[in-house]
Amino acid sequence: MLSLALERVSKSFGGVQAVSDVSLEVTPGQITGLIGPNGAGKTTVVNLITGVLRLTEGRIRLGDTDLTEANASTVARLGVSRTFQNIRLLKEASVLDNVMIGFHRQEETGLAAQLVGLPSSWRESRSLVKRAQALLERFGMTRFARHPAGALSYGHQRRVEMIRAIASGPRVLLLDEPVAGMNDVEAAELGHIFEDVAKSGVALLLIEHNIRFVNALCRHVYVLDSGRLIAQGTPGQVMHDPGVIAAYLGTS
Amino acid sequence: MIAQQLLNGLITGSVYALFALGFTLVFGTHKILNLAHGSVFMSGAFAAYFAVLNGLPLWFAMVLAMLCGGLVCYVIELAAFRPLRSRGQIEFAALIASIGANLMISSLAQRISNTKVLRFPFGTFPVQFYTVMGVRISLLQIVIVCVVAILLAGLLFYMYRTSFGRQVRAVSGNERAARLLGVSPNVVFFQTFFISGALAGMAGVLIGLSFNSIHFLMGEPYLLRAFVVVVLGGLGSITGAVVAGLLLGVIQTLTVAYLPTGLSDAIIFSLLFIILLVRPSGLFGSAITATAARRQ
Amino acid sequence: MSFAAYQPLLDFFLLSLGFAYSQQVVLRAGVFSIATPAFAALGGYCSAILVQRYGAPAIPSVLLALVIGGVAGFLISIPLARLRGVFQAIATLALVQIVVSLAYYLEPLTGGATGIHNIPKLVNTWHLLAVVAVVIWFMYVLSRSGVGRAFDVLRQDEMVGATLGVSIARYHALAFIISGALGGLFGGLQSLYVFTIEPEMFGFAFLTAVLTYIILGGPRSVLGPIVGTAVMVALPEISRPLAEHRQFVQGAILMAMIVFLPHGLVDGLEVAWRQRQARRLDKEDREKRRAHAVAGP
């Protein structure tokens, strides 16, 4: 059970400080929240963790492993998965194929065996298909398995992206505004799924705009504004923090 | 001897530059590699040839060649690139569409010319040589340099001193932002493609005159060299295209003169390969070109 | 007409299909490489020189052509991993030009512009059929494996691939190696089939032909190149005007495909069919729900 820790992380683009001096910890088995108004730097934090962007200062650790210099695919191989704020599915591929891609780093047959089509490779492919179908079943998406992902409704696409991230067997899962554009019923449904995933020992970081949703799910919440952490604590503590209220309602 | 080679190289290079200017203009503004640029060049030469054959004066034939090149290039824009524009990533699609356009135009030209090499009638351009300080220069070469210089000056004036040019540069900076500022992209596309084609058309006439040979595939070697020129100069950079064009002309003339046949091309294209790896933004390219070329 | 009349056409189709797969595999992995003519030239000269100059037997010569192509593919994949998009296309185009101009220059070895002639014809239709069958099997296995899935994700969205742990450098290198090996293999076979090899065979015309097969057929499916190549090889045989205006038709096909069916015939129809299925399922769903609502309280 490894937790993800950011230690005094900063990122600047040119002269603009997008994230400054942010420290936070995402612990396994629970959902940690990261909230903040638009443009606070939430997605930048996700990009820094996943190695899409390089940090200017600070350190990122997963357990004892240093992720500070790692690139995106290394970070992924170490067990960090994410979803994207603007859904990124392979639109023309089927839903099943989209989920299958999530298994990439669990494939064990060697390249050579795959290329010449050894029976072991076929067996693995078949078992992955079964696992993908089981995941789709679990999230009530079985009947869409053969659909091209791009043809699904917005909510369903979000769900497929979630399933793909879960398929990758993450130790840390970063959810970038997963319920944006959903109604309360759909959001609540997805919330139960997050809780399930967290219970299985995954460290979840929920990046959200919607404070109500975060309060319902998270035990610990960080608040980001203009690239800085302005508060942290339980949802109750954070909601009564004057700085947070000012950031959300605007200083008067 | 070496001075003579240098002079010849610079003159060849000025035509390379003229050809590459239009190519780099379209890439710089719209991020489109127009592989049909060679056939636009060829169509300019064809237009001038038929104009001269019908008794029109050469200067008029040149103007006609520019018009023809401009129109052909704009038609390519309409037929090959515009339908793709609503899609996001069109780099590769545009490349393929322009290969298609290139095939169609050059096969039309092949039909018109019956696969034969066309030659301007004798006396279209007076054959006259001058010797200055031991270096021989022909009247045609002088005209080539003057024409290229005038067109380059015109292009720079247009891009940097007129409101049209500012629109073009706005689009090349950021198409969406330019649209928000009320710049109509279609007007800009018309301008860049027309200018690009007109420059190529004139280059076609100049090359047709200097070798007195016009052929439906004449654009191919120039297109391949244009890659070297625009990458060396920095994709999208006007200054870069001129300097790199001249440089390539000199390198080519010297390598052809002093090295065995075949090696010249190998050197030039190795140069292209190496620049792409070492400095993809070229001599004058911006940092933006470098990030577009490199994987982060 | 008898089979014999169509045999040269079949052979031409089989050779072209090999080159088509060489081009397809890089495009499938999202690499804008157009280096297939370079690989074909390397393999072609390799087997031509070995067989004609040194009297080497066919099988090792062709295998060496395959290895040389694969190694060349691997070597250029290293620097090309640093480039993106059209810059990869330009770099591979430069590579093709370098190989072709070296073929002109290295006259003692390659015969320069005149090339090498009187190469013994050691390859016949049955050999080609056998090799192509193996290649198709290989491509099928590849497309069903994790490698195929990794290629697909890199083509459609590199960033998603990276965040799922797909190593771009590794899979692009693999695509280049396979492309190079296939290009070298069929280049080698071609030399031992057509008697002659010269630098001009690997110019722009070769490049556009190979690209057309894939644009027409599709970059993903195994069937795509077969359909694309078959159509392009058969078209000139169907009618005289098509043969006379072959270049024009080819250009028109390229433009029309990229505008109207950018995924090619096979892949495009597959996607369209799946979308139709999806719409049908959705409609049934809606009707069921409506019926439920009417019947309900």
Side-chain angles (χ1 to χ4, degrees), chain B residues 41-50 109 113 115-120 204-205 207-209 211-218:
Chain B
F41 163 89
M42 177 270 302
S43 63
F46 267 65
Y49 168 78
F50 286 108
S113 66
T115 324
K116 279 198 292 253
V117 175
L118 309 176
R119 294 181 199 289
F120 283 109
V205 188
I207 288 299
L209 280 171
F211 295 100
N212 201 5
S213 145
I214 294 170
H215 187 248
F216 73 100
L217 287 178
M218 67 190 279

Side-chain angles (χ1 to χ4, degrees), chain C residues 131-146:
Chain C
V131 175
V132 164
V134 172
V135 168
I136 290 176
W137 165 249
F138 174 78
M139 297 305 285
Y140 175 73
V141 168
L142 178 95
S143 76
R144 289 293 149 122
S145 71

Side-chain angles (χ1 to χ4, degrees), chain A residues 182-233:
Chain A
M182 285 189 185
N183 61 37
D184 283 354
V185 181
E186 287 174 315
E189 254 177 66
L190 218 52
H192 291 310
I193 295 171
F194 298 157
E195 281 171 332
D196 273 359
V197 175
K199 267 185 214 135
S200 66
V202 178
L204 253 75
L205 180 65
L206 176 62
I207 291 99
E208 258 301 331
H209 190 62
N210 179 341
I211 302 181
R212 255 191 313 152
F213 184 64
V214 172
N215 287 352
L217 288 174
C218 302
R219 244 184 282 164
H220 197 86
V221 179
Y222 293 89
V223 187
L224 204 62
D225 183 36
S226 313
R228 291 176 186 284
L229 275 186
I230 54 168
Q232 60 168 301

Side-chain angles (χ1 to χ4, degrees), chain A:
Chain A
M1 297 279 236
L2 301 170
S3 57
L4 175 84
L6 273 67
E7 294 165 8
R8 320 205 61 172
V9 166
S10 298
K11 172 72 186 173
S12 55
F13 297 103
V16 185
Q17 197 78 12
V19 170
S20 48
D21 205 18
V22 168
S23 302
L24 55 84
E25 192 171 3
V26 189
T27 32
Q30 65 176 47
I31 307 175
T32 306
L34 177 62
I35 61 173
N38 277 329
K42 300 184 299 274
T43 297
T44 309
V45 170
V46 178
N47 285 336
L48 289 170
I49 298 172
T50 50
V52 173
L53 294 173
R54 282 287 144 84
L55 38 163
T56 323
E57 269 174 75
R59 242 157 64 86
I60 298 178
R61 282 186 303 109
L62 178 64
D64 294 327
T65 323
D66 192 10
L67 297 186
T68 313
E69 296 292 325
N71 64 22
S73 54
T74 314
V75 174
R77 272 195 292 275
L78 289 169
V80 179
S81 294
R82 72 176 287 185
T83 63
F84 292 87
Q85 188 178 352
N86 45 342
I87 308 172
R88 294 179 87 144
L89 289 174
L90 312 185
K91 297 221 158 55
E92 273 118 26
S94 70
V95 167
L96 187 71
D97 285 342
N98 267 287
V99 176
M100 294 281 287
I101 291 154
F103 293 126
H104 179 80
R105 62 173 187 248
Q106 296 157 43
E107 282 167 15
E108 279 161 3
T109 0
L111 274 186
Q114 288 187 28
L115 291 178
V116 293
L118 288 187
S120 64
S121 138
W122 292 108
R123 263 200 306 277
E124 183 171 42
S125 272
R126 267 197 303 273
S127 86
L128 290 182
V129 171
K130 284 219 184 74
R131 281 176 57 195
Q133 281 165 342
L135 274 176
L136 287 175
E137 178 78 56
R138 182 170 146 208
F139 293 105
M141 296 288 290
T142 303
R143 41 182 233 92
F144 298 108
R146 299 271 154 210
H147 280 41
L152 299 185
S153 71
Y154 185 78
H156 283 141
Q157 290 196 23
R158 279 243 174 260
R159 210 177 277 200
V160 175
E161 207 189 25
M162 268 290 305
I163 302 173
R164 182 175 72 189
I166 292 170
S168 68
R171 295 197 277 198
V172 178
L173 180 52
L174 314 169
L175 301 160
D176 198 352
E177 306 214 2
V179 295
M182 285 189 185
N183 61 37
D184 283 354
V185 181
E186 287 174 315
E189 254 177 66
L190 218 52
H192 291 310
I193 295 171
F194 298 157
E195 281 171 332
D196 273 359
V197 175
K199 267 185 214 135
S200 66
V202 178
L204 253 75
L205 180 65
L206 176 62
I207 291 99
E208 258 301 331
H209 190 62
N210 179 341
I211 302 181
R212 255 191 313 152
F213 184 64
V214 172
N215 287 352
L217 288 174
C218 302
R219 244 184 282 164
H220 197 86
V221 179
Y222 293 89
V223 187
L224 204 62
D225 183 36
S226 313
R228 291 176 186 284
L229 275 186
I230 54 168
Q232 60 168 301
T234 63
Q237 290 168 341
V238 163
M239 285 330 293
H240 295 102
D241 186 293
V244 176
I245 296 167
Y248 263 88
L249 301 176
T251 21
S252 46

